[in-house]
Amino acid sequence: MSMLTPPGMGGKYRITGDKYPRMRRPRRRGRLVVALVASVAALGLVGWGTLQLIGIFTGNDDKASAAGPKADCATKASPSASASAAAYPKPSQITVNVFNATPRAGLAKKTADALKKRGFKIGDVGNATKEFDKKVKGAGLLLGRTSAMSTSLEVLGTQVAGAETRADGRKGADVDLIIGTEFKSLAKKADADKALAALGKPQPEPSSSKKAC
């Protein structure tokens, strides 16, 4: 061993000449870089999470999500009610003439009384004329002027299931119920009320949309 060899070092560190080996600590630069990148990533995640929590508690998250996708596409239009829905008269605004075209006696009066209890005004009651006597098939025939086809006659039709509706040349606003050979009774009040309520609801009209969100 040379006098220049440090104590306790031998082997490859044996100094055989007049030069000393360089004694350096292991390089840790790579570890420092990895640790620094991991720290930055962790801080970024913590910051993002904090912003999310702030958004949830302040309600900004909901506003952003509501304004985001919907801002880029047209809102899908929902069906809208028709503004020109027909205005149906109430039963109390309709005068009904009841005529019996069957061989059963007293049917016109009995039916007229039932209609009166349901709110209709009653006009003439009696037997049908020769034009219709024993010639009306089915439950009955509803007659009125042309404008009554989509108003008064529709309302009266809710009370007589299966009755035929027809317009004639009259000028008055009253309507006729001519009882047919297959008539048994008026529609059940619950069913008639449901049908009457359905008339007052305007039908929706689907509108087109450019783009569905």
Side-chain angles (χ1 to χ4, degrees), residues 28-48:
R28 299 183 178 178
R29 183 176 298 175
R31 295 181 181 178
L32 290 175
V33 172
V34 172
L36 181 59
V37 172
S39 299
V40 172
L43 289 174
L45 289 174
V46 171
W48 181 82

Side-chain angles (χ1 to χ4, degrees), residues 137-166:
K137 307 296 182 182
L141 176 63
L142 309 181
L143 293 175
R145 60 185 181 183
T146 303
S147 61
M149 291 286 291
S150 59
T151 54
S152 301
L153 290 180
E154 282 203 40
V155 174
L156 181 58
T158 62
Q159 311 298 312
V160 189
E164 179 187 355
T165 303
R166 190 186 303 171

Side-chain angles (χ1 to χ4, degrees), residues 181-196:
T181 55
E182 295 182 12
F183 179 86
K184 295 181 180 179
S185 64
L186 295 177
K188 293 182 179 179
K189 191 174 186 306
D191 295 337
D193 290 344
K194 185 181 297 185
L196 192 60

Side-chain angles (χ1 to χ4, degrees), residues 16-203:
T16 57
D18 57 352
K19 294 182 179 181
Y20 289 94
R22 290 186 177 183
M23 306 298 291
R24 293 182 178 179
R25 296 181 180 180
R27 295 184 178 182
R28 299 183 178 178
R29 183 176 298 175
R31 295 181 181 178
L32 290 175
V33 172
V34 172
L36 181 59
V37 172
S39 299
V40 172
L43 289 174
L45 289 174
V46 171
W48 181 82
T50 303
L51 291 175
Q52 291 294 106
L53 290 175
I54 293 174
I56 292 174
F57 285 107
T58 58
N60 292 332
D61 185 63
D62 293 338
K63 293 179 181 178
S65 61
K70 292 184 180 179
D72 297 332
C73 60
T75 303
K76 188 175 182 180
S78 57
S80 58
S82 173
S84 60
Y88 292 93
K90 297 180 180 179
S92 59
Q93 299 174 314
I94 302 173
T95 300
V96 183
N97 304 314
V98 184
F99 302 110
N100 184 11
T102 75
R104 291 176 284 172
L107 192 56
K109 184 178 186 307
K110 180 180 179 181
T111 303
D113 290 342
L115 285 173
K116 186 176 182 179
K117 289 180 180 179
R118 297 187 182 187
F120 290 88
K121 290 182 178 180
I122 303 301
D124 297 333
V125 178
N127 295 324
T129 61
K130 291 182 180 181
E131 181 184 358
F132 299 107
D133 189 27
K134 301 179 180 65
K135 297 177 184 178
V136 178
K137 307 296 182 182
L141 176 63
L142 309 181
L143 293 175
R145 60 185 181 183
T146 303
S147 61
M149 291 286 291
S150 59
T151 54
S152 301
L153 290 180
E154 282 203 40
V155 174
L156 181 58
T158 62
Q159 311 298 312
V160 189
E164 179 187 355
T165 303
R166 190 186 303 171
D168 57 15
R170 75 182 65 193
K171 296 181 180 180
D174 60 331
V175 294
D176 295 349
L177 165 58
I178 303 177
I179 301 173
T181 55
E182 295 182 12
F183 179 86
K184 295 181 180 179
S185 64
L186 295 177
K188 293 182 179 179
K189 191 174 186 306
D191 295 337
D193 290 344
K194 185 181 297 185
L196 192 60
L199 287 179
K201 295 180 181 179
Q203 296 298 320

